[in-house]
Amino acid sequence: MTEPQAFFERISENHFSPTEHTRGPWDADSQHAGPPAALLGRAVEERPGAREDMRLARVTYEIVRPVPIRPLEMTTTVLRSGRSVELVEAALAPEGGAPVMFARALRIRTLEEPGPAVASGPQVPSPGETAETPFFAVPWEVGYHTSMDTRFTEGTFREQGPGTCWMRMRMPLVAGEEIRPLDRVLVAADSGNGISNVLDFRRHVFVNADLTVHLHRHPVGEWVCVEARTSVDPAGIGLADARLHDEKGPIGRSAQSLFISPR
């Protein structure tokens, strides 16, 4: 049977089977956090009763343990519901097991009539101005590293220091389903600490225990840019902070708390 060209297959309304395209660079049995982050974000938006006049403004992920490449069950719960703001929690768990990743999403009501638009932040060179940038060496042929088109305008995966990288999904998040704007940004946002690595991956372990994404607007087009900077304290705690862009300009930012130690 041919492996579907998507990150997940939908087994039923709330059950999903990850494909090998979700595989992260560190463990052959675990996913990169980007695809499950996007899946959780989609669950928040497509849950029964979700209001169409609201849009995700902030989502915080707690990564309890590595997300395995095996069938997963999704649950969603509305924690707070108001006229203009709601808070929704989504959880992803292996079938019959405890949740491995949570998302708490803040959704805000959009205006019926357009209001004033104010955005700040520098423009970054477009993805068309640079060639595709190779990933760092990964021990397996297929995974997240082959399922994303990556183009750096500053730095590379193989250089230490700040990095700016345009990213594009090569395939849908869920087989047979259209890619949504939120899929594009959430599948890329977890890559900030890899884009802006400041220590040698061969000598240090970088583990992000969380991810927070703020969006003042959803992306348009196929490309999302992660303009990332990483700071590390001698105690082994770090922060990867990133501006997020599409080809029209800034859309928000992301942040990851990092645990760093020698290998």
Side-chain angles (χ1 to χ4, degrees), residues 3-262:
E3 182 74 25
Q5 293 298 301
F7 290 100
F8 297 94
E9 288 185 281
R10 188 186 290 270
I11 302 170
S12 66
E13 182 179 0
N14 297 313
H15 293 79
F16 300 85
S17 179
T19 73
E20 61 181 343
H21 299 288
T22 65
R23 181 173 288 120
W26 310 117
D27 180 357
D29 298 321
S30 299
Q31 299 182 47
H32 186 284
L39 195 66
L40 285 160
R42 176 178 282 211
V44 168
E45 288 202 320
E46 70 175 14
R47 75 186 195 282
R51 287 172 53 180
E52 294 184 1
D53 65 340
M54 285 190 167
R55 199 172 71 196
L56 184 141
R58 186 267 298 161
V59 59
T60 296
Y61 298 93
E62 304 292 344
I63 305 168
V64 181
R65 57 182 61 87
V67 182
I69 303 177
R70 57 191 176 99
L72 300 165
E73 180 178 8
M74 180 78 70
T75 57
T76 58
T77 306
V78 178
L79 302 178
R80 176 164 57 94
S81 180
R83 179 175 178 272
S84 300
V85 175
E86 68 176 13
L87 186 65
V88 182
E89 182 176 86
L92 204 54
E95 293 184 344
V100 294
M101 192 169 177
F102 291 91
R104 280 199 171 191
L106 181 71
R107 301 179 79 228
I108 296 179
R109 179 171 59 89
T110 56
L111 297 178
E112 293 182 5
E113 298 294 333
V118 180
S120 61
Q123 290 280 0
V124 294
S126 74
E129 297 177 26
T130 185
E132 184 173 354
T133 310
F135 219 83
F136 55 82
V138 174
W140 28 89
E141 291 185 6
V142 178
Y144 180 86
H145 64 291
T146 59
S147 305
M148 300 291 292
D149 187 346
T150 55
R151 304 189 182 195
F152 278 79
T153 62
E154 175 190 15
T156 72
F157 281 121
R158 303 180 185 188
E159 296 177 20
Q160 295 173 27
T164 301
C165 182
W166 286 98
M167 306 185 76
R168 177 173 62 177
M169 300 166 67
R170 297 187 189 274
M171 59 192 65
L173 182 68
V174 179
E177 300 184 18
E178 185 179 356
I179 300 175
R180 300 182 179 186
L182 194 60
D183 298 342
R184 298 186 188 281
V185 66
L186 296 180
V187 82
D190 187 70
S191 295
N193 61 323
I195 290 169
S196 62
N197 71 86
V198 291
L199 297 172
D200 190 338
F201 283 136
R202 295 167 298 182
R203 299 176 58 189
H204 294 85
V205 174
F206 286 73
V207 179
N208 64 296
D210 71 353
L211 167 67
T212 297
V213 178
H214 288 266
L215 295 174
H216 66 265
R217 69 173 174 85
H218 279 353
V220 294
E222 295 184 318
W223 293 93
V224 171
C225 180
V226 182
E227 181 187 4
R229 305 289 184 268
T230 294
S231 301
V232 178
D233 183 80
I237 297 175
L239 172 67
D241 178 51
R243 292 190 181 98
L244 303 174
H245 308 256
D246 63 14
E247 291 186 84
K248 294 185 70 173
I251 59 174
R253 65 188 312 126
S254 65
Q256 299 164 286
S257 301
L258 306 177
F259 165 72
I260 299 163
S261 70

